[in-house]
């Protein structure tokens, strides 16, 4: 007997499960993969022992005190600080755009004020009333046209295969622009990687006597004990899969991007000298290369000196049945999403959450914060009998 079914064991689902279990509810988690954690899973490479992020780099960072205190219940974190570099026209630059990037690109020695003035002049063609219209207008307003074309346009064409004018401005604003030589990738107060890896962290979150986990279990398999047809209307459900798949794509497919990772063990102790190298040139087919040994420099003595693991990342549109990573959120998507929200409002006690269930570009800390908030405001009152229904899907 279960009090709550959670479909998907990513960080939103695991957080919701843990909170419900600690409140006394019997919780069942199902996932069609063979492991917990969604895309945040990591595991040792069998040849080298180097911990590999199976679905691409996952870097934990947050300024949310509540989230930081919460995750530290299940894992400690290393002092890792993320730095990214990008190769454009055969030259390596620090990213995100900072004073070092600007001076290197223009072969200059601008002061912060001089750099600000330069960028402002190079963004002067953007109408101030239309800055937030789309990815292109916002990007040029932030870094000027030459830097936008060098560092964002080619990379974006590979990452999204969508006209930048069709992409929301929010995508580019995820990256800071700094007029100092600070090339940290994130601005957050707290940053690090789980000391024992993501697998240990995520497994600890599910380790509670009130939580039962069923892997290799598909919510859409009619033969499954926990299928949609057998549970919706009979059990309260937290659904964290793609919202369009839940409704059998009846209003059309939402636009999703997925990635392919091409892993290679190379016969060297260091292939590129940094954790992530982006490639901005259109003629380079991959968007970036991860070198996983650099995520845990504290393990240098335990990792082999003559081997390293890299992964070339390729981005493409996700087809049905493939793992969606990023919501494209073009105008047509937003129109379909509105209709899916209306359909979701009619589902009996189904809460849609997480990146896929809400069609939002959520980082890990954002998914955890969302789950904590929605448990307190929606699920806890429902489970205690204070309310008779669970909430509509989370909206912008």
């Amino acid at each position: 007997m279960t009090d709550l079914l959670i479909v998907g064991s990513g960080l939103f689902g695991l957080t919701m499960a843990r909170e419900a279990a600690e409140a006394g509810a019997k919780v069942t988690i199902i996932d069609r993969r063979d492991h917990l954690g969604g895309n945040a899973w990591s595991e040792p490479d069998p040849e080298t022992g180097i911990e590999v992020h199976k679905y691409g780099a996952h870097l934990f960072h947050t300024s949310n005190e509540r989230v930081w205190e919460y995750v530290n219940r299940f894992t400690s974190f290393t002092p890792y600080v993320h730095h990214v570099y990008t190769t454009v026209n055969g030259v390596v630059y620090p990213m995100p755009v900072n004073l070092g990037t600007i001076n290197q690109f223009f072969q200059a020695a601008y002061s912060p004020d001089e750099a600000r003035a330069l960028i402002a002049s190079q963004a002067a063609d953007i109408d101030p009333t239309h800055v937030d219209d789309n990815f292109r207008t916002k990007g040029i307003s932030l870094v000027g046209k030459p830097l936008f074309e060098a560092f964002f346009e080619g990379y974006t064409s590979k990452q999204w295969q969508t006209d930048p004018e069709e992409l929301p401005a929010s995508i580019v604003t995820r990256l800071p622009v700094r007029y100092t030589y600070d090339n940290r990738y994130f601005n957050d107060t707290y940053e690090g990687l789980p000391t024992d890896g993501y697998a240990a962290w995520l497994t600890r979150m599910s380790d509670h006597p009130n939580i039962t986990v069923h892997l290799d279990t598909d919510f859409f398999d009619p033969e499954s004990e926990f299928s949609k047809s057998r549970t919706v209307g009979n059990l309260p459900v937290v659904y964290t899969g793609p919202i369009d798949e839940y409704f059998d794509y009846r209003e059309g497919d939402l636009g999703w991007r997925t990635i392919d990772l091409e892993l290679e063990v190379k016969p060297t102790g260091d292939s590129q000298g940094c954790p992530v190298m982006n490639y901005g040139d259109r003629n380079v087919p991959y968007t970036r290369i991860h070198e996983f040994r650099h995520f845990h420099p504290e393990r240098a003595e335990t990792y082999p000196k003559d081997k390293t693991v890299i992964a070339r990342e390729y981005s493409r549109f996700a087809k049905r049945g493939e793992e969606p990573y990023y919501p494209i959120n073009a105008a047509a998507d937003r129109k379909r999403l509105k209709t899916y929200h209306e359909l979701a409002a009619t589902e009996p006690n189904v809460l849609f959450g997480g990146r896929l269930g809400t069609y939002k570009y959520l980082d890990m800390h954002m998914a955890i914060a969302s789950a904590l908030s929605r448990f307190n405001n929606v699920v806890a009152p429902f489970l205690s009998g204070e309310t008779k229904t669970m909430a509509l899907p989370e909206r912008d």
Side-chain angles (χ1 to χ4, degrees):
M1 180 65 180
T2 189
D3 301 312
L4 181 67
L5 175 66
I6 297 183
V7 181
S9 65
L11 280 165
F12 184 96
L14 283 175
T15 302
M16 187 70 74
R18 185 75 188 204
E19 291 296 282
E22 291 182 355
K26 298 291 186 182
V27 182
T28 298
I29 302 174
I30 65 169
D31 200 300
R32 58 187 170 194
R33 289 178 175 174
D34 62 359
H35 61 74
L36 291 167
N39 290 352
W41 188 255
S42 62
E43 58 193 18
D45 170 67
E47 181 177 343
T48 65
I50 294 171
E51 184 180 347
V52 170
H53 295 198
K54 188 173 181 179
Y55 303 95
H58 278 68
L59 300 314
F60 192 81
H61 56 97
T62 186
S63 294
N64 187 316
E65 292 282 351
R66 184 186 182 197
V67 168
W68 183 243
E69 291 175 5
Y70 185 79
V71 297
N72 273 272
R73 292 174 50 196
F74 307 104
T75 181
S76 59
F77 287 84
T78 70
Y80 175 86
V81 175
H82 194 45
H83 294 87
V84 172
Y85 295 85
T86 188
T87 298
V88 175
N89 292 326
V91 178
V92 175
Y93 299 88
M95 287 294 284
V97 171
N98 61 78
L99 191 57
T101 317
I102 294 168
N103 280 330
Q104 186 180 354
F105 185 81
F106 292 108
Q107 298 183 22
Y110 294 120
S111 69
D113 287 344
E114 290 169 337
R116 284 190 181 91
L118 174 70
I119 297 305
S121 71
Q122 294 173 343
D125 290 343
I126 300 299
D127 183 339
T129 64
H130 292 283
V131 164
D132 293 319
D133 280 3
N134 55 62
F135 183 101
R136 181 185 295 279
T137 55
K138 187 66 175 181
I140 293 176
S141 77
L142 290 172
V143 301
K145 192 172 182 180
L147 291 174
F148 179 83
E149 291 177 344
F151 297 120
F152 293 91
E153 198 153 55
Y155 188 88
T156 302
S157 71
K158 295 187 292 185
Q159 177 77 3
W160 297 96
Q161 291 179 298
T162 301
D163 189 322
E165 294 185 1
E166 293 295 318
L167 294 171
S170 59
I171 294 176
V172 73
T173 55
R174 289 165 56 86
L175 290 181
V177 177
R178 303 191 186 103
Y179 291 94
T180 69
Y181 290 98
D182 178 3
N183 70 330
R184 293 173 304 141
Y185 201 69
F186 304 115
N187 281 330
D188 287 297
T189 306
Y190 305 107
E191 182 176 356
L193 289 171
T195 304
D196 301 324
Y198 281 99
W201 169 16
L202 302 168
T203 300
R204 289 185 196 120
M205 289 187 74
S206 68
D207 185 12
H208 190 282
N210 284 346
I211 296 176
T212 302
V213 178
H214 296 276
L215 301 176
D216 297 305
T217 302
D218 191 345
F219 184 59
F220 299 104
D221 177 4
E223 301 302 316
S224 169
E225 176 186 359
F226 299 104
S227 68
K228 178 184 174 184
S229 59
R230 295 186 183 188
T231 56
V232 172
N234 298 313
L235 282 175
V237 174
V238 173
Y239 174 79
T240 69
I243 190 171
D244 53 352
E245 183 180 14
Y246 181 94
F247 292 105
D248 198 26
Y249 309 98
R250 73 177 72 170
E251 299 300 323
D253 295 51
L254 293 171
W256 301 94
R257 299 293 291 168
T258 191
I259 65 171
D260 298 313
L261 292 174
E262 180 183 81
L263 264 68
E264 180 182 354
V265 176
K266 302 195 76 172
T268 177
D270 193 348
S271 177
Q272 63 184 19
C274 65
V276 178
M277 179 69 72
N278 290 352
Y279 288 85
D281 299 323
R282 293 174 187 263
N283 62 345
V284 177
Y286 39 85
T287 56
R288 52 189 173 178
I289 295 179
H290 311 270
E291 186 171 8
F292 297 105
R293 71 181 307 120
H294 294 295
F295 291 134
H296 285 279
E298 78 280 3
R299 300 180 186 174
E301 294 305 312
T302 63
Y303 284 166
K305 303 292 190 296
D306 59 348
K307 292 181 181 180
T308 192
V309 183
I310 68 166
R312 299 175 188 87
E313 182 176 316
Y314 301 82
S315 180
R316 60 181 173 81
F317 288 110
K319 301 175 183 176
R320 291 186 186 183
E322 295 181 327
E323 294 296 341
Y325 278 66
Y326 308 108
I328 296 173
N329 203 21
D333 296 319
R334 293 191 289 273
K335 183 177 179 181
R336 289 191 181 98
L337 183 62
K338 182 177 183 296
T339 305
Y340 281 127
H341 279 160
E342 292 168 354
L343 289 171
T346 68
E347 289 299 284
N349 292 327
V350 178
L351 183 146
F352 293 78
R355 177 183 287 197
L356 307 183
T358 60
Y359 198 69
K360 288 184 179 180
Y361 198 152
L362 301 178
D363 287 328
M364 290 184 286
H365 66 289
M366 297 165 69
I368 294 168
S370 174
L372 291 171
S373 173
R374 299 186 76 196
F375 177 78
N376 289 338
N377 296 326
V378 177
V379 178
F382 174 81
L383 292 174
S384 68
E386 294 177 34
T387 59
K388 300 298 183 183
T389 185
M390 292 207 298
L392 304 181
E394 194 170 272
R395 310 263 180 119
D396 290 328

